[in-house]
Amino acid sequence: PYRGLAAFDEDDVEFFFGREAEVQRLIEKLKASTFLAVVGPSGRGKSSLTRAGLIPGIRRGVPPARDSWAIPIFRPGANPLDRLAGHLAREIPDLVAHEVRDELAADPRTLRLLLAGRPEHDRRVMGVVDQFEEVFTLCTDEHERRMFVLNILHASTADGPGIVVLTMRADFYPRCAAYPELAQQLSAHQFLVGPMDDAQLRLEIEDPARQVGVRFV
């Protein structure tokens, strides 16, 4: 039942313990905002908290119903606009990935307009950009980086069609200051993942074992 160094995902929710209070705080933040940055040191569990905690919590606890949520998850990689365009082309009929990529690179409103024009008007979209720091560590094209950042920010404006959640290593926080719109959102809508206390660690260790019929004596 343990994942070792790998992150927990939505399919691992039955073994994800110890972060229940933090999950609830994340959900409450998203009830009041359409943007949230989950920030913390490397290895603190940001991805697991988001994937195995927040996403299942959103599906079961925030209207609309579970099947009405579309929650794409992706990492930016070296070419974040390509990654984003590929996801959009898979999700929305009639889109061509390379054409979408060109539109994203030209207009920061592209993602917002495409999501607003989705045929499934009754579905809400929450895009999760995991390991957002890859826009700094892997992407070397400043224009691509900036347009990726602006597109996801425009899509998550208060009256926009989507919610954006990103996870990011805390040591990359200063790099975000070069992008005023991003810095403003980070300042207003972030969640700092702290270390687990003794009670949380006990739950994290013992409860997954109980799920598979093992107990500590």
Side-chain angles (χ1 to χ4, degrees):
Y2 304 110
R3 297 287 291 151
L5 294 178
F8 283 83
D9 217 327
E10 190 171 1
D11 292 338
D12 305 310
V13 65
E14 64 177 316
F15 300 120
F16 187 69
F17 292 94
R19 297 284 196 177
E20 291 79 5
E22 290 161 303
V23 169
Q24 191 55 46
R25 288 198 292 272
L26 289 174
I27 292 172
E28 292 303 316
K29 281 182 173 290
L30 283 179
K31 288 180 179 179
S33 174
T34 53
F35 177 90
L36 179 62
V38 182
V39 182
S42 179
R44 189 56 59 82
K46 303 177 294 296
S47 295
S48 294
L49 179 61
T50 301
R51 289 170 174 259
L54 175 61
I55 291 176
I58 286 287
R59 292 197 192 278
R60 67 175 177 262
V62 179
R66 175 186 178 90
D67 293 338
S68 295
W69 278 99
I71 307 181
I73 307 170
F74 68 99
R75 292 168 57 173
N79 303 106
L81 291 183
D82 290 341
R83 291 275 183 94
L84 181 54
H87 276 275
L88 290 169
R90 286 191 293 272
E91 290 287 328
I92 304 177
D94 302 325
L95 290 184
V96 179
H98 71 86
E99 294 178 354
V100 174
R101 197 269 183 208
D102 291 343
E103 293 174 10
L104 291 167
D107 189 343
R109 301 169 300 172
T110 299
L111 179 58
R112 175 189 174 99
L113 294 173
L114 289 175
L115 292 179
R118 286 173 61 96
E120 310 97 315
H121 291 296
D122 60 336
R123 302 191 79 198
R124 294 197 68 189
V125 180
M126 184 174 81
V128 177
V129 185
D130 196 13
Q131 300 191 35
F132 180 78
E133 67 270 9
E134 289 184 352
V135 301
F136 303 115
T137 61
L138 298 180
C139 179
T140 59
D141 186 321
E142 174 57 29
H143 177 73
E144 181 167 5
R145 181 187 299 122
R146 182 172 295 277
M147 294 307 293
F148 175 76
V149 168
L150 291 177
N151 266 281
I152 64 172
L153 290 178
H154 274 278
S156 64
T157 53
D159 58 345
I163 294 173
V164 170
V165 176
L166 58 86
T167 71
M168 185 180 72
R169 276 170 42 190
D171 50 318
F172 282 89
Y173 197 87
R175 296 285 298 274
C176 299
Y179 308 89
E181 300 91 343
L182 177 60
Q184 181 178 357
Q185 287 288 69
L186 283 172
S187 297
H189 307 292
Q190 65 173 284
F191 182 87
L192 180 61
V193 181
M196 301 180 79
D197 60 25
D198 290 347
Q200 289 176 306
L201 288 171
R202 181 176 293 275
L203 290 172
E204 182 186 44
I205 295 169
E206 295 185 356
D207 282 18
R210 293 191 181 97
Q211 292 292 91
V212 294
V214 177
R215 66 186 182 91
F216 292 84
V217 294

